[in-house]
């Protein structure tokens, strides 16, 4: 089964518990690469003992890749700001919705996306949130409006 999987993908990586010749188990990282030699299917196996730090680093890298995939491919626009209101990250759909290229959003104040009087009040709302963070609706009971680069306002669904 592992051979077929590796043949289909070309390579496969996994973490495993391996036993030394003494019978003592140790955590290992295995990288399998499929190739054919003289017409016979073969696997090149790379086995490395892993320290707890290396396992944690691999798990973190995997988690980051999963987050990036979800963030990039989300079916909603996502904008992440720091405490000062500067946009530190935005996915492509957020850029499309607001009429900016994704890089052009970075470093902007979030208030540039909040129209009129709401925009002027938004900075205080953000400070209140930072003082006491909690899950809450963006617009409360009022309809949420956003301002696009092309000087048009549109209704957005609040999170």
């Amino acid at each position: 089964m592992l051979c077929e999987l590796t043949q289909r993908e070309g390579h496969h990586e996994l973490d495993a518990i391996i036993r030394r010749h003494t019978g003592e188990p140790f955590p290992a990282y295995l990288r399998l690469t499929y190739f054919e030699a003289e017409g016979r299917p073969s696997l090149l196996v790379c086995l490395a003992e892993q320290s707890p730090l290396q396992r944690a680093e691999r798990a973190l890298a995997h988690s980051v890749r999963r987050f990036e995939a979800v963030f990039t491919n989300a079916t909603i626009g996502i904008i992440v700001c720091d405490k000062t209101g500067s946009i530190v990250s935005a996915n492509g759909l957020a850029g499309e919705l607001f009429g900016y290229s994704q890089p052009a959003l970075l470093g902007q104040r979030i208030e540039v996306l909040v129209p009129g009087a709401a925009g002027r009040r938004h900075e205080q709302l953000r400070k209140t949130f930072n003082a006491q963070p909690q899950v809450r609706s963006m617009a409360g009971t009022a309809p949420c409006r956003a301002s696009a680069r092309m000087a048009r306002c549109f209704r957005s669904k609040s999170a």
Side-chain angles (χ1 to χ4, degrees), residues 124-144:
Q124 184 56 45
L125 291 171
R126 185 173 33 79
K127 287 178 182 177
T128 303
F129 174 80
N130 286 332
Q132 210 168 18
Q134 57 186 322
V135 175
R136 62 184 181 185
S137 174
M138 281 188 343
T141 58
C144 184

Side-chain angles (χ1 to χ4, degrees), residues 30-126:
L30 284 114
R31 185 176 54 232
L32 308 172
T33 304
Y34 177 84
F35 68 99
E36 291 187 10
E38 297 177 2
R40 294 185 9 229
S42 303
L43 289 178
L44 174 65
V45 179
C46 177
L47 170 68
E49 186 170 0
Q50 280 196 317
S51 71
L53 176 60
Q54 288 169 318
R55 283 194 312 276
E57 287 172 340
R58 282 182 36 79
L60 177 60
H62 179 72
S63 179
V64 166
R65 284 191 304 272
R66 188 173 38 234
F67 168 80
E68 287 172 346
V70 168
F71 187 82
T72 301
N73 299 302
T75 57
I76 59 171
I78 301 173
I79 296 175
V80 179
C81 297
D82 63 14
K83 285 186 173 190
T84 68
S86 293
I87 298 173
V88 296
S89 187
N91 67 358
L93 189 54
E96 282 180 40
L97 288 171
F98 289 102
Y100 288 83
S101 68
Q102 184 184 8
L105 278 172
L106 303 181
Q108 295 279 344
R109 303 277 297 182
I110 190 67
E111 284 77 20
V112 302
L113 305 177
V114 184
R120 292 186 292 276
R121 202 169 77 89
H122 190 266
E123 187 170 350
Q124 184 56 45
L125 291 171
R126 185 173 33 79

